[in-house]
Each structure stands twice: as C-alpha cells, then as structure tokens.
Amino acid sequence: MPTWLSQIGRIRAPIPAALYWTVAAATFVIPAAIWWLASSSGYVDRLFLPSPADVAKQAVVLAENGRLWSDIGWSVFRVFAGFTLAAIVAIPIGILMGTYHIADAIFEPFTDFVRYMPAAAFIPLIMLYVGIGETAKILMIFIGTYFQLVLLVAAVARTVPIDVINVAYTLGASRRQVLTNVVVPASLPGLVENLRITLGWAWTYVIVAELIAAQQGLGFRIMEAQRFLKTDTIFLYIAIIGLLGLASDQIMRRISSKTMPWAETFDR
Amino acid sequence: MNLSARANATSTESVAKLSVRDISRRFETRGKIVEALKGVSFDVPSGGFYSIIGHSGCGKSTLLNIVAGLDQATSGVVAVDGVVRRSPGPDRGMVFQSYTLFPWLSVIENVAFGMRMGGMGKKERREAAQHYVELVKLSAFVDAYPKELSGGMRQRVALARALANKPAVLLMDEPFGALDAETREQMQELLLNVRNKEFMTVLFITHDIEEAILLSETIGIMAARPGRVAHEFKIELPYPRDAATKVSDAFVQNKRRLIEVFKSI
C-alpha cells in the first residue's frame, strides 16, 4: 500500500499536494460532467436544464454587450461597500467586547437578540426608510453581516491568552498600550479568518437585496431572466456568484498569508 | 547599639531589594472562603537568587502574581527598594511557564518590546536588544518569528525580553516547567551563565528541588493550606556553578537536608 493511501484516514495527517488538488478539481469536474450528460441526454427539458454550451453561449453574448461586466461591477461594489462598512464598525466594537466586560454588557445581549432576526425581514422597513437606492442594498448587507461579525470578533479577542497580556504589563505597558500593542495584533489572524467567512454571507445578502429592488446587478438579472424564462442566464449568473466568492476568498487568504507571515497556519 | 553596628543594620536593610511583608490572600468560591496565602514574609537581597518551592497548589504562583502586581493581596505589602508596589510595572519583569512571546514580533522585536513601550527610539532599542539576544545565544535567530523557535528557544527569548527591560527584580514562574528534561538542564546552565555576566536579583518559583538547589542562594519552602513560607534554607554552594555542581558531594548533602525539611512540613 502506498504511504499516501495510509495517510488518508489518519486524523489531521497531511496528504500529498498533488492528491489534494486532484480531488479538489474532481469535485468541480464530476458535477459538470453529470450536468453535461443530463442536458445532452434529451430526457430533461432544455427550459429546465440548459446545456453547458447554452450557458457558455449566453456568457459570450452578455460579455460582448457589456451587461455581464456591469452587473458584476454593481454587485461587487455593493458587497464591498456594505461589507467594509460592517467590518469598520464590527472590528473595534468586537475587540472592546472581548476585552472589557462593560462593553460586553452593552453590546452582547442586544446583538444576540438582533442576530436571530432574519435580515431579509428588514427589507420592507429598509425600503420604507431609505427607498430602493444604493443605500438600501448596502444597509441590507450591513444588517446581514454586522451582527454576526461583531460576535465573531469578540470571540477572537477573548482568546488572547491572559499570560500574553500580563507579560506586557510586567514589561511596563500601560492598559492602553496593551490594548493597541497586544490585544489588537494578537487578534489579527483570527479576525481576518472571520472576515473571510462572513464575506460569503455578504454575497448572499447582496443577491437577496437585488432580487427585490434593483435595476442592475447579478441578483436583479437572475430575477429578470426568470421573467423571460432564460434559464441559461440564471445558471450563468449563479455560477458567476460562486466564482466571485471563490476569488474573493482566495484573495483574502493570499493577503492574510502575505501580511502575516508570523501567524500559525493549518498545514495542508 | 554602637554606631558602626547601627550603620551595619541600615545597610543590611537597604540591600533588601525585594521585601514581601505579611502577605495574605483569601479567595471566595461558592460562598466558601479559601485562605490561599497567610502571613508570607521574606526578603531578597540585591543581587540575590531566592527560590520558592512547594507542592502544587500551595499558592506559589498566587504569591508570584501578587509580587508582580497582577493579583492583589488581601493584606500585606510588596516593596521594591523600599517602595510599596501594588500594580504591575517594569521594575518587576516576569518569565512565565507558558509561552508568552508575541507571535507577530521577531525575536529582536520581542526583546525590545519593553523599551518600545517606554518610548525608546527604534535604532537605540534594537542595539540594546541585540546584547540580550546574544546573552541567551540566539544571535542566529534575531529576525525569526516565535513559531520558528523550539520551546527552549522561546523561553530564552522570554528571559532576554525580561532582562532587556532592566528590572529591579526578575520574577520567574516555573519558567522551565514545560520543557523536556534535557532542555531544562541546558536552560538552568544558561541561567547560571547569564547571572555570571549580568547583575540581577531573582525570585524563582519551582517544584523541582534539584533546580532550586542548583540555582539559588536561599530557598523558601512553602507549606500549603494556608500557603506560607514554613522554612528558609541557605544553599552553601560556591559560585560559579554549572551542571557538574549537581553531582558534587556538597550538592547531595544540601539535597538530603532539604528533602528532610521538605518532608517534615
């Protein structure tokens, strides 16, 4: 038995990189192959299941007339704006929550309460208050991600070992210095990791917001395609949302390993 | 008392770098009052090496945390150079048992951390830190991050970081407790070596009798429930000491005497 085979079932044991990426690629190729076989078999109505070729054709059409790029641009802009706003507010508040019990008392119970309200249920109110412009979509993403993110940041700040904080005091650091020079940098890797995960939710909420009230963007185009029974466009846009998510995830990973070479990482 | 005797008395008093006076610490857990420490008193002279030994749970670490200012005594005082200390400060540097290096800082930046907090300029503190990195024999790792270092190396950096801040008293809380036996011996020799080169006053916590004898001038033996210093024990071994000291007759005699006292409490 080759050694890599015996490694597979071993808890947390690394496997060869080639094996890892072959398996990962297969998880994309196999569903695509099944899709292609099902659509070309003739058993399934093309209206319900367009072929990969139909979707590719539609991609070319929409790319050429520029609509694809403008839709991507709008959605990326909304995700970026809403998510950045959520992060800017959630990071300092979360760090304070994880550091001072009084901040925890102020924010945690209330956040837990709001967190369980479905963000999409706020849409009617958002439309009533700020209309259906860009603010509405950004607000939607903010509500959908802020309340989750702030709790995750607080949990990260709480994991900074007390001895690491104490040693800074014995080295002459003031409370303020301990907060800015110890708690904040010690929280960074966990913080970036959680930003990466919540970014996925921002993508969910931008589509929800666009499905309901928008004139452009990926979510809007999916809704419009449904009206005209353009299943190929729906397929294309759903795949693109996945690809954009995957790309932003990889970018975040890259930034994180480049800017924090000191962080302990999970070995593949 | 004649004049010279009085002068002598004052000078003995003034050399008490660290004074621990009548420290008591009570905790309240689930309505029950636990007396962790009761009436702990001892002095560490300037340049002295004082170890506290005792069984686990006797309150050694609580005592050290109080000396560091990280915990508050219910009664009693801690004084450094005759000045009462209640909160943590750079005059009492500390090396912990757990690894406490800042992972985002390189070795030299870790060592320079205290100086940075004190507002020293970058170039100046880097030069000063360099000396301490060399002292713990890590010159080849100045720019390495903690994750690239072994456990023993991390504790050497922690020692250099504490020393670089020039504390009046160095507090060490079982600093080699998490290391394997071989590394621990190397660390003990390194500490003896460092103490030959640098003037330092040390308060050291351990549960390892041999380690306490090898390193210390005086050992305070703690009894538990309530935690108190039951005996003070002078180690009569000449300096410089090294690993070979451990197999000398004098060492074995000291150990025998100490174990007898240790058993009796």
Side-chain angles (χ1 to χ4, degrees):
Chain A
M1 191 163 66
T3 47
W4 62 263
L5 202 58
S6 65
Q7 287 291 89
I8 287 175
R10 202 170 288 164
I11 293 168
R12 291 201 182 161
I15 57 168
L19 176 63
Y20 184 96
W21 291 112
T22 309
V23 171
T27 64
F28 283 83
V29 172
I30 292 170
I34 292 171
W35 172 28
W36 178 74
L37 281 172
S39 62
S40 61
S41 67
Y43 288 117
V44 191
D45 191 335
R46 300 242 335 240
L47 182 64
F48 296 130
L49 190 70
S51 72
D54 293 339
V55 173
K57 220 183 289 163
Q58 190 62 10
V60 173
V61 171
L62 289 172
E64 275 177 349
N65 71 19
R67 194 172 278 178
L68 178 66
W69 308 119
S70 110
D71 285 338
I72 290 177
W74 276 104
S75 293
V76 168
F77 160 73
R78 287 163 186 156
V79 166
F80 185 80
F83 187 67
T84 306
L85 195 65
I88 286 173
V89 183
I91 291 170
I93 291 180
I95 285 180
L96 290 177
M97 281 167 71
T99 310
Y100 299 105
H101 282 282
I102 187 69
D104 203 62
I106 295 169
F107 295 107
E108 168 107 33
F110 182 74
T111 307
D112 272 332
F113 171 60
V114 179
R115 183 166 74 101
Y116 281 100
M117 302 175 181
F122 285 96
I123 291 176
L125 282 179
I126 293 174
M127 285 163 71
L128 187 64
Y129 296 155
V130 299
I132 54 167
E134 288 315 302
T135 322
K137 283 122 205 158
I138 291 167
L139 203 56
M140 177 72 217
I141 296 168
F142 182 85
I143 292 172
T145 52
Y146 165 78
F147 294 98
Q148 316 288 335
L149 188 56
V150 76
L151 292 177
L152 292 168
V153 174
V156 167
R158 260 179 230 122
T159 60
V160 179
I162 190 67
D163 280 354
V164 172
I165 289 168
N166 279 340
V167 83
Y169 282 126
T170 69
L171 289 166
S174 65
R175 284 180 186 170
R176 196 195 176 86
Q177 284 176 320
V178 169
L179 181 62
T180 55
N181 290 285
V182 179
V183 177
V184 170
S187 304
L188 275 180
L191 214 144
V192 174
E193 182 67 13
N194 282 306
L195 284 178
R196 195 172 65 76
I197 291 162
T198 29
L199 183 57
W201 300 342
W203 273 105
T204 306
Y205 289 113
V206 76
I207 303 306
V208 170
E210 288 175 348
L211 285 176
I212 290 159
Q215 271 73 53
Q216 66 294 94
L218 297 166
F220 164 76
R221 204 63 65 196
I222 289 173
M223 213 56 199
E224 190 193 52
Q226 184 220 0
R227 243 178 281 144
F228 298 104
L229 295 176
K230 298 284 292 174
T231 7
D232 46 6
T233 306
I234 298 178
F235 265 65
L236 172 69
Y237 273 50
I238 290 175
I240 283 173
I241 293 165
L243 286 175
L244 287 172
L246 189 66
S248 54
D249 200 86
Q250 288 299 318
I251 291 167
M252 294 274 282
R253 276 179 202 267
R254 198 63 58 85
I255 290 172
S256 145
S257 67
K258 278 274 185 291
T259 54
M260 295 181 289
W262 49 268
E264 306 272 356
T265 48
F266 178 70
D267 284 322
R268 220 154 233 166
Chain B
M1 197 194 290
N2 67 35
L3 237 156
S4 77
R6 192 180 298 155
N8 240 331
T10 16
S11 80
T12 0
E13 253 175 48
S14 69
V15 289
K17 196 76 182 167
L18 173 71
S19 297
V20 173
R21 281 289 166 277
D22 212 21
I23 290 285
S24 294
R25 178 68 169 98
R26 279 190 293 275
F27 293 101
E28 211 184 306
T29 41
R30 277 181 254 123
K32 273 173 72 183
I33 291 173
V34 179
E35 209 152 35
L37 297 170
K38 191 179 183 185
V40 178
S41 294
F42 61 90
D43 282 332
V44 185
S46 185
F49 197 116
Y50 193 103
S51 288
I52 300 266
I53 61 169
H55 302 290
S56 50
C58 72
K60 307 185 290 276
S61 289
T62 306
L63 175 62
L64 201 72
N65 281 335
I66 288 171
V67 174
L70 298 170
D71 188 11
Q72 300 304 313
T74 311
S75 63
V77 292
V78 171
V80 176
D81 287 321
V83 181
V84 173
R85 299 286 176 191
R86 294 195 195 281
S87 50
D91 57 326
R92 281 147 298 142
M94 188 145 163
V95 180
F96 291 74
Q97 177 176 7
S98 62
Y99 300 132
T100 57
L101 294 188
F102 305 120
W104 59 95
L105 298 179
S106 67
V107 166
I108 189 109
E109 288 165 344
N110 260 284
V111 175
F113 182 86
M115 294 181 262
R116 180 155 68 90
M117 295 300 105
M120 194 189 278
K122 187 169 183 173
K123 192 164 173 278
E124 205 182 347
R125 63 173 190 256
R126 220 185 142 87
E127 275 170 21
Q130 189 73 36
H131 165 76
Y132 292 94
V133 174
E134 278 162 26
L135 194 67
V136 297
K137 303 189 166 62
L138 283 173
S139 310
F141 294 90
V142 272
D143 293 317
Y145 285 112
K147 73 166 181 182
E148 300 163 81
L149 305 179
S150 69
M153 287 156 94
R154 287 178 199 203
Q155 290 307 73
R156 271 144 73 186
V157 179
L159 174 64
R161 180 176 62 180
L163 287 174
N165 227 18
K166 298 194 175 68
V169 187
L170 177 65
L171 311 174
M172 304 183 86
D173 187 5
E174 302 203 38
F176 314 141
L179 306 174
D180 63 83
E182 196 189 335
T183 312
R184 191 181 315 165
E185 280 199 2
Q186 289 167 359
M187 291 296 291
Q188 290 163 358
E189 272 211 289
L190 180 104
L191 184 57
L192 285 169
N193 203 340
V194 166
R195 201 166 157 249
N196 283 340
K197 292 177 190 160
E198 298 283 318
F199 184 84
M200 54 204 259
T201 306
V202 185
L203 176 60
F204 193 94
I205 302 275
T206 181
H207 61 258
D208 180 341
I209 291 180
E210 288 203 1
E211 182 170 85
I213 299 171
L214 179 67
L215 299 173
S216 323
E217 283 162 3
T218 310
I219 296 174
I221 303 166
M222 267 186 87
R225 276 179 291 271
R228 63 204 182 274
V229 175
H231 279 274
E232 255 187 16
F233 193 97
K234 297 262 180 238
I235 300 295
E236 284 134 20
L237 286 172
Y239 284 95
R241 302 175 189 169
D242 55 27
T245 310
K246 272 190 173 178
V247 291
S248 69
D249 289 341
F251 186 93
V252 176
Q253 276 165 21
N254 272 289
K255 189 177 165 184
R256 193 177 296 139
R257 280 201 298 135
L258 185 59
I259 287 173
E260 269 169 35
V261 180
F262 205 50
K263 269 186 190 159
S264 73
I265 58 165

